[in-house]
Amino acid sequence: MKPAPAVRGLALAAALCAGVHAAPLGAQEPLRLFISVDMEGIGGIGTGAMTSAGGKDYATGRELMTDEVNTVVEAIFAHDARARIVVNDAHGDHQNLLHTQLDPRVVYIQGALKPLGMVQGLDGTFDGVIFVGYHAKAGDPDGFLAHTGTGSVKGLWLNDVEVGEGGMNAAFAGAHGVPVILASGDSAASAELSALLDTETVTTKTAETPAAARLLHPEVVRGMLGEGVARALERLERGGYEAFDLGTPVRIRVRFATTIHVDILMSIPGMTKVDGFTVEYTATSADQAYRLIRLMYRFVQT
Ligand SMILES: [Zn+2]
């Protein structure tokens, strides 16, 4: 039996000190892990078409995406057979994974009409988050299909630190005390997230141009992913992660592609205009910031 992760060990000790009824000694809480899955950073995907419904080889892209999730899930269960895993589809319309081919032991969240988007379903009850298939932030010249949210976002800053989707999602997790234990994606995504977060990374490919990729074979990528998960879970057990906690408040700055987008967002009380393309807002927490940012780029469109 594996030793309890440090955080849960501390929680148990605190509960015992407080005289609260705790589980009998030796009983282990199963690991709870949240997997957020994007598509651009999946191994074997080398064109934008493969990530778009109706695009050439999109069906293959879906299979590759599903296979990578199953690889991650398999590695988690190899570590803890009782693990509880939630998989959140987090690309495009969030309807990409092939549910019938997914490991039946996971709970799967599908559909994009959700306020928390790529982190829908994530809360403080999880031990860790894994990002699969991630890409770099908008404007990164070394990234493959790099963007932040949608094409309408040209830049996003949290407390003056420029972040992409990975950083934004990690900040939400961090607000709930949950670390990102592993992130996979192209080399620019890996570099961005390992610089920003206390996390393990797996590099699935390198951008040859912003719209073409130098690929490793998907089997090779899946081998690295399995090893990455094992490495991450061993480190998690040692209590070796720090969550990406921005504290409070969290100042949001978003730069948009059009001035009309900014004009419309000024209808939100508390929003301020920095310049024609840029708005700023001070949120009470990274949780509130996340919801508002998603509202701004996903549910307000021009
Ligand atoms: Zn995506």
Side-chain angles (χ1 to χ4, degrees), residues 231-290:
R231 200 166 63 235
L233 292 177
E234 280 162 23
R235 185 170 156 193
L236 180 64
E237 278 190 354
R238 297 195 303 270
Y241 285 104
E242 203 168 313
F244 185 56
D245 185 358
L246 295 176
T248 56
V250 174
R251 194 170 55 261
I252 305 164
R253 191 160 75 243
V254 191
R255 185 166 174 81
F256 288 94
T258 65
T259 52
I260 185 61
H261 204 135
V262 164
D263 270 359
I264 292 170
L265 291 177
M266 289 303 292
S267 303
I268 297 173
M271 194 67 67
T272 59
K273 187 188 287 195
V274 177
D275 60 40
F277 290 113
T278 313
V279 291
E280 212 170 78
Y281 185 92
T282 300
T284 54
S285 66
D287 184 304
Q288 188 197 37
Y290 195 97

Side-chain angles (χ1 to χ4, degrees), residues 135-197:
H135 52 78
K137 65 179 183 288
D140 186 333
D142 299 322
F144 173 65
L145 302 177
H147 64 279
T148 302
T150 63
S152 64
V153 176
K154 297 302 173 193
L156 167 65
W157 291 261
L158 299 176
N159 290 346
D160 295 326
V161 175
E162 189 172 9
V163 298
E165 294 171 15
M168 178 178 153
N169 297 344
F172 177 88
H176 295 276
V178 184
V180 177
I181 64 170
L182 176 71
S184 77
D186 70 283
S187 57
S190 287
E192 177 184 320
L193 294 175
S194 59
L196 187 68
L197 311 175

Side-chain angles (χ1 to χ4, degrees), residues 37-41 51 90-92 118 133 135 147 149 165:
V37 195
D38 206 345
M39 198 165 189
E40 291 85 347
T51 70
H91 171 75
M118 301 177 83
H135 52 78
H147 64 279
E165 294 171 15

Side-chain angles (χ1 to χ4, degrees), residues 34-52:
F34 184 91
I35 306 176
S36 172
V37 195
D38 206 345
M39 198 165 189
E40 291 85 347
I42 296 288
I45 291 184
T47 66
M50 290 181 79
T51 70
S52 310

